[in-house]
Amino acid sequence: MKDLIRSNNTELPSHAPLCQFAVENDMLQLGGVSLRRLAQRVGSTPFYAYERAHIARRVADLRAALPAGVHVHYAMKANPMPAVVQWLAGLVDGIDVASGGELATALDTPMPAERISFAGPGKSDAELARAVAAGVLVNVESGAQLERLALASERLGLTARVAVRVNPDFALRRTGMRMGGGAQPFGVDAALVPALLGRIGQLGLDFHGFHLYAGSQSLSAPALAEAQALSVQLALQLADSAPSPLRTLNIGGGFGVPYFPGDQALGLAPVAEGLQRQLAILDQAAPGARLNLELGRYLVAEAGVYVCKVLERKVSHGQVFLVTDGGLHHHLAASGNFGQLIRKNYPVAIGNRLLGGPREVASVVGPLCTPLDLLADQMEMARAEEGDLVVVFQSGAYGLTASPTAFLGHPLPAEVLV
Ligand SMILES: *Cc1c(COP(=O)(O)O)cnc(C)c1O
């Protein structure tokens, strides 16, 4: 398979090879459909397309690499499109939600309620009541949230299933987005957890275990293995204060995908070795406890593309701008404004001119009146014409629902699972 993103400049770091999709006659193929035909089928641009087969392959490869005792959950905020969640529900062992809206989507899938867990620092009373009524596992994130959960439980006459989200004293090293270690709005500080466990016992709630989440988007296997080992160690220590034996341990995820030049795909083998050790430790100390990983972007990011159409080729002071109908309002992350410190290009290509023809350096911009509306900044790509289809790869996670779609009042893009 040829590399779809090429650069003649060998001095700069390049994007990791993209080999997940087929190409025929220079045209990207998604789920066996040519990009042009898919655009006709969707009926309008821009759109997001997610490839079913890629998602299935990703889960299968992950399961083949990890020890059998590790359960894989989908953290659905990465891509909450109902069709995607339905598809994943048949492939993974559980779904992790973080709002009442996500809970409703997850409950519409065949995933049993006892395999759905609900995290989030700001759960409303209404959301807590819905979660208890549904019978999902609630990861409580504070003492106050626990009290409100107990009230919901009492009002409904149903025993809430509860886990404690712990704010660990460590963070995932070498990652852009830390979500543990030090002061955090997420979870209960490790030092306060024993008292909270005592309270769960007093309230008579159904204690299941712990949830730890140390960070996101890590491409370092040693850093992930280290965080996983520390998570298991901390959970087992805290389990001594629990009102009942540990049954579930969710040690988070944080598996990253290569987005930017210089990024290299995560190698799973060292992570799998580490998990094998953690399973043995867990089996000794808490026989029968389930070990769960919760993965978002790792399962879906590489299966998705964002597609927009070139409206105009424009040359300003010698620089080529491809003005498209898509942009920041649909894909904030590719514009570099979703938590990135330094703007870097996502892999972007002209989807109907992938391998042949003349090439040039161009910038891809959207229709918004702001210089932030930039999908590619002076990248080498095929020389594009009006009507060509620009493809932003690695776009299956944190795309549409992580973007300010109302900004400037353009229509919403379509989404397809193909
Ligand atoms: C966002 C989130 C995830 C998913 O993160 P990815 O980087 O997409 O894998 C998992 N767990 C929790 C608690 C989260 O907040």
Side-chain angles (χ1 to χ4, degrees):
M1 174 75 247
K2 293 220 183 85
D3 194 355
L4 303 183
I5 305 290
R6 287 177 297 154
S7 169
N8 291 334
N9 189 339
T10 48
E11 282 157 37
L12 295 175
S14 53
H15 283 96
L18 283 171
C19 357
Q20 64 262 56
F21 302 116
V23 179
E24 265 177 43
N25 301 325
D26 246 13
M27 179 82 72
L28 183 69
Q29 311 286 307
L30 294 163
V33 182
S34 98
L35 181 65
R36 184 70 74 185
R37 176 107 181 244
L38 186 63
Q40 289 162 347
R41 180 178 121 178
V42 172
S44 59
T45 53
F47 61 91
Y48 278 94
Y50 316 114
E51 196 184 65
R52 215 184 278 276
H54 186 275
I55 296 174
R57 219 179 322 128
R58 177 46 73 106
V59 176
D61 290 350
L62 182 68
R63 287 193 188 281
L66 297 183
V70 174
H71 296 88
V72 177
H73 285 215
Y74 177 47
M76 66 169 276
K77 83 171 189 284
N79 188 329
M81 184 197 185
V84 167
V85 183
Q86 287 283 344
W87 179 239
L88 270 159
L91 302 170
V92 298
D93 305 308
I95 300 177
D96 296 331
V97 307
S99 73
E102 289 190 356
L103 175 64
T105 301
L107 288 170
D108 280 343
T109 72
M111 185 61 71
E114 60 267 27
R115 296 278 171 257
I116 297 173
S117 62
F118 183 13
K123 302 179 190 78
S124 70
D125 289 335
E127 286 175 318
L128 289 168
R130 287 164 65 191
V132 175
V136 304
L137 183 64
V138 179
N139 297 333
V140 292
E141 309 227 2
S142 70
Q145 198 178 85
L146 174 65
E147 296 302 326
R148 292 192 295 115
L149 178 69
L151 269 178
S153 187
E154 195 182 305
R155 282 197 196 112
L156 293 165
L158 296 166
T159 308
R161 301 171 66 238
V162 60
V164 176
R165 178 165 179 186
V166 180
N167 173 26
D169 292 322
F170 53 87
L172 185 54
R173 286 184 299 128
R174 295 162 64 182
T175 174
M177 218 175 278
R178 289 161 57 118
M179 287 179 71
Q184 290 285 344
F186 312 107
V188 180
D189 291 352
L192 304 177
V193 170
L196 193 81
L197 291 167
R199 183 68 183 140
I200 291 174
Q202 278 174 2
L203 290 166
L205 301 182
D206 184 15
F207 173 76
H208 279 252
F210 299 106
H211 173 210
L212 293 96
Y213 189 73
S216 186
Q217 178 51 22
S218 173
L219 293 170
S220 163
L224 286 167
E226 179 192 88
Q228 288 164 352
L230 291 169
S231 297
V232 170
Q233 195 184 2
L234 177 58
L236 289 176
Q237 207 179 308
L238 293 172
D240 288 342
S241 317
S244 56
L246 187 66
R247 278 180 282 171
T248 300
L249 177 53
N250 174 353
I251 57 169
F255 293 22
V257 300
Y259 290 110
F260 306 118
D263 284 355
Q264 282 182 355
L266 174 67
L268 286 178
V271 181
E273 275 171 38
L275 284 169
Q276 191 71 63
R277 281 194 296 277
Q278 300 319 315
L279 279 170
I281 293 169
L282 193 62
D283 195 46
Q284 271 281 312
R290 267 173 80 97
L291 186 70
N292 298 339
L293 285 181
E294 54 176 359
L295 301 175
R297 74 185 75 218
Y298 190 79
L299 301 184
V300 291
E302 295 182 45
V305 296
Y306 173 66
V307 182
C308 55
K309 191 171 69 190
V310 177
L311 300 175
E312 232 178 79
R313 269 183 73 83
K314 186 168 182 175
V315 180
S316 167
H317 290 268
Q319 275 190 35
V320 177
F321 291 90
L322 302 174
V323 184
T324 70
D325 57 2
L328 160 161
H329 53 312
H330 297 160
H331 201 334
L332 189 66
S335 79
N337 295 292
F338 188 60
Q340 295 98 327
L341 296 178
I342 303 167
R343 191 193 178 286
K344 293 179 190 162
N345 286 325
Y346 265 52
V348 173
I350 307 301
N352 53 304
R353 299 178 195 271
L354 276 179
L355 302 174
R359 297 176 70 80
E360 68 179 2
V361 171
S363 294
V364 178
V365 301
L368 309 188
C369 285
T370 158
L372 300 178
D373 193 10
L374 187 61
L375 293 176
D377 185 15
Q378 300 195 57
M379 252 184 107
E380 194 199 304
M381 59 187 76
R383 188 185 190 285
E385 300 296 340
E386 280 173 29
D388 280 352
L389 297 170
V390 173
V391 175
V392 182
F393 293 93
Q394 314 297 70
S395 296
Y398 306 107
L400 178 57
T401 60
S403 300
T405 51
F407 190 36
L408 272 112
H410 289 279
L412 282 173
E415 283 185 292
V416 281
L417 177 66
V418 59

